Amino acid sequence: MLFMVAISCSASLAAAARMLNVTPPAVTQRLQSLESRLGVQLVERGGGLLVLTNEGDLLARRSKGILNDVDKLIEELQERKGVVSGHLYISGPTGFGRRYIAPVVREFRTQFPQVNINLELSDNPIALKPNTCDIIIHIGELRSQPYKMITLAPNDRILCASPNYLSVNGTPRTPHDLVNHDCLTLRENDEDVTLWRFHMGGKTETVRITEGISSNDGDVILDWALNGLGIILRSEWDVADALASGRLIRLLPDWGIPDASVVALLGLNHRRTARMRMFLEALRQAFTPPPWR
């Protein structure tokens, strides 16, 4: 079963050999032996890519299910002894993940060495399917989605620019003034990044800014702003240090902006294992109080 799962996850027999840590001839020999014992062909012959037959696909899918059940049984038995183990798949935004999630993973692994952790960082982690990750860390707008959401920490959005930019271009006094300014946008999470919303009391104002320069990398956007290229609307966690040091100036402080809380999204089909509960608790402790405040 482990062999067939490795075959199904690989693009070629050579790739399967690397996953199984054996030679390609050994994979070929084992595959032929398995087909002979079962009396069915499992892999299509010919062509550069590894393609499973219908029988091979059935065996691989059923093998995954059985192996998952075995893993769950072992985990339940170990949990009864107070042992936290198993695999934990986590996804999160790149910049925030490097700065705040990776250290939590490091400490968690030190505390629970029997938990194997995979941390995948992406500019759009929510694009992953619910059955791909145990926990997805998300910041920003949430549309219709099939996840259970757990709020981990508050995180405001802040409009700001460098003193150099403001000295040259002036300071906006109202949200509408932004249409006459250079605005930098971060393209992530499939948000409408050129539509900026503000509110004050019962008044709301929506501004469609002109996108002068954009990137999908938050560090790039921040660097551009620090060097006077324009105004940014960024998460509090990303600009807190620059605001405290005076390298960025907060703009329109009397206007509220929809916040972007840090949340954990849990796939609906995932069993709440001890490792998930413990990691979520580790995140809560790391973000209480929020280190960016």
Side-chain angles (χ1 to χ4, degrees), residues 272-290:
R272 303 296 181 259
T273 60
R275 60 182 178 274
M276 287 181 64
R277 295 194 300 271
M278 298 298 289
F279 187 77
L280 288 170
E281 180 59 29
L283 287 172
R284 288 193 187 94
Q285 292 181 10
F287 298 156
T288 306

Side-chain angles (χ1 to χ4, degrees), residues 134-180:
D134 296 306
I135 301 172
I136 299 175
I137 308 301
H138 178 76
I139 301 173
E141 182 180 350
L142 268 176
R143 300 174 184 175
S144 178
Q145 41 77 28
Y147 305 96
K148 177 181 179 181
M149 184 179 74
I150 298 175
T151 300
L152 298 174
N155 173 60
D156 291 338
R157 288 182 185 244
I158 297 177
L159 189 74
C160 52
S162 71
N164 180 52
Y165 174 85
L166 297 175
S167 67
V168 174
N169 299 277
T171 301
R173 301 301 177 186
T174 69
H176 183 72
D177 291 345
L178 294 171
V179 299
N180 299 315

Side-chain angles (χ1 to χ4, degrees), residues 125-250:
I126 201 171
L128 297 174
K129 296 180 180 179
N131 61 355
T132 302
C133 289
D134 296 306
I135 301 172
I136 299 175
I137 308 301
H138 178 76
I139 301 173
E141 182 180 350
L142 268 176
R143 300 174 184 175
S144 178
Q145 41 77 28
Y147 305 96
K148 177 181 179 181
M149 184 179 74
I150 298 175
T151 300
L152 298 174
N155 173 60
D156 291 338
R157 288 182 185 244
I158 297 177
L159 189 74
C160 52
S162 71
N164 180 52
Y165 174 85
L166 297 175
S167 67
V168 174
N169 299 277
T171 301
R173 301 301 177 186
T174 69
H176 183 72
D177 291 345
L178 294 171
V179 299
N180 299 315
H181 281 269
D182 295 323
C183 296
L184 314 178
T185 52
L186 176 64
R187 292 198 165 274
E188 61 178 359
N189 295 337
D190 296 326
E191 295 183 26
D192 187 349
V193 296
T194 63
L195 191 67
W196 292 2
R197 300 178 179 89
F198 302 85
H199 59 86
M200 183 168 60
K203 181 181 179 181
T204 62
E205 191 162 338
T206 301
V207 179
R208 177 69 70 178
I209 57 98
T210 300
E211 187 179 47
I213 185 170
S214 66
S215 174
N216 69 333
D217 190 304
D219 289 341
V220 170
I221 293 293
L222 179 59
D223 178 72
W224 287 342
L226 290 170
N227 284 279
L229 291 187
I231 295 173
I232 56 173
L233 180 59
R234 289 295 294 131
S235 281
E236 178 185 3
W237 71 264
D238 194 28
V239 298
D241 291 343
L243 290 169
S245 65
R247 292 176 295 155
L248 290 176
I249 304 297
R250 185 167 188 170

Side-chain angles (χ1 to χ4, degrees), residues 24 34 37 58 81 89-90 130 141 190 193 239 248 274:
L34 183 57
R37 291 210 315 272
L58 173 63
K81 298 189 300 180
Y89 297 91
I90 307 162
E141 182 180 350
D190 296 326
V193 296
V239 298
L248 290 176

